[in-house]
Amino acid sequence: MSRDVAITDAAQYVTLGIASELLAVPVERVQEILESRQVSRLPHAPESLLGLIDVRGMSVPVVDLRLKLGFPQSEDTHDTRIVVLFVEMNGRQLTFGLKADRVFEVTVLDSSELEASPEVGMEWQSECIAGIGRRNGNFVTVLDLDSLFDGAEASFGVLTETDNAEVA
């Protein structure tokens, strides 16, 4: 009985991949997972902002996770997915699509404790990492979505749910 309680109380994550890396986002932030689709480009958008997709009448900006995290760009495959999720920014909830090479599963990690980002003795942008976990012995980088998109509003000029309502 106590084991059942421990399992249901454990944080759950959606695991996804870019290149050979395993990443995770909290399941409660994920609205839905879509197959890859046509993205409408926006003029003068930053490289990682691919454009907009329509999600049931709402314009959702899509960010290429590879480019956002400094990985090289790649072509879409039949496994490419867009994870539609919520991000808190300046006290507002925004909706973004995050393009990933693939999505694996909703799962718990081997331990409920996440390790801090490693100190490597040089400057690097680790603020988008909430922590490092393990799944079946493999490293899983848990993304801090709010930090990942911090500043995105200004640089992307994104549409928000509030903005969408005003446009409609």
Side-chain angles (χ1 to χ4, degrees):
M1 180 72 174
S2 62
R3 179 168 166 73
D4 293 340
V5 171
I7 288 173
T8 57
D9 288 344
Q12 293 187 322
Y13 298 92
V14 174
T15 55
L16 47 104
I18 57 170
S20 62
E21 304 307 315
L22 185 59
L23 307 166
V25 296
V27 71
E28 67 271 10
R29 302 292 285 278
V30 175
Q31 177 181 336
E32 61 188 295
I33 300 168
L34 306 171
E35 291 186 4
S36 184
R37 56 182 59 189
Q38 179 71 36
V39 176
S40 297
R41 302 277 313 165
L42 296 170
H44 305 294
E47 185 178 16
S48 64
L49 176 58
L50 299 175
L52 298 172
I53 59 170
D54 180 81
V55 179
R56 287 182 294 288
M58 187 172 81
S59 301
V60 175
V62 176
V63 172
D64 187 322
L65 185 57
R66 276 179 163 268
L67 298 178
K68 188 71 176 164
L69 295 179
F71 286 76
Q73 190 171 19
S74 74
E75 294 294 321
D76 288 358
T77 70
H78 69 280
D79 293 327
T80 302
R81 296 290 182 268
I82 298 173
V83 181
V84 179
L85 42 79
F86 303 110
V87 176
E88 291 288 331
M89 192 178 302
N90 298 325
R92 298 184 311 159
Q93 188 175 51
L94 304 178
T95 303
F96 280 91
L98 198 58
K99 187 176 104 173
D101 292 351
R102 60 201 157 278
V103 172
F104 295 106
E105 62 183 339
V106 175
T107 189
V108 295
L109 300 179
D110 294 346
S111 169
S112 62
E113 299 294 322
L114 297 176
E115 298 174 31
S117 301
E119 294 183 26
V120 294
M122 65 180 82
E123 189 172 318
W124 67 304
Q125 295 179 328
S126 64
E127 61 274 1
C128 65
I129 299 173
I132 306 294
R134 292 175 194 255
R135 174 78 178 135
N136 298 327
N138 297 312
F139 290 114
V140 179
T141 303
V142 177
L143 298 175
D144 181 331
L145 294 171
D146 298 337
S147 294
L148 182 68
F149 288 99
D150 189 37
E153 188 175 27
S155 64
F156 292 171
V158 297
L159 295 174
T160 66
E161 292 176 351
T162 303
D163 294 334
N164 289 341
E166 292 172 359
V167 171

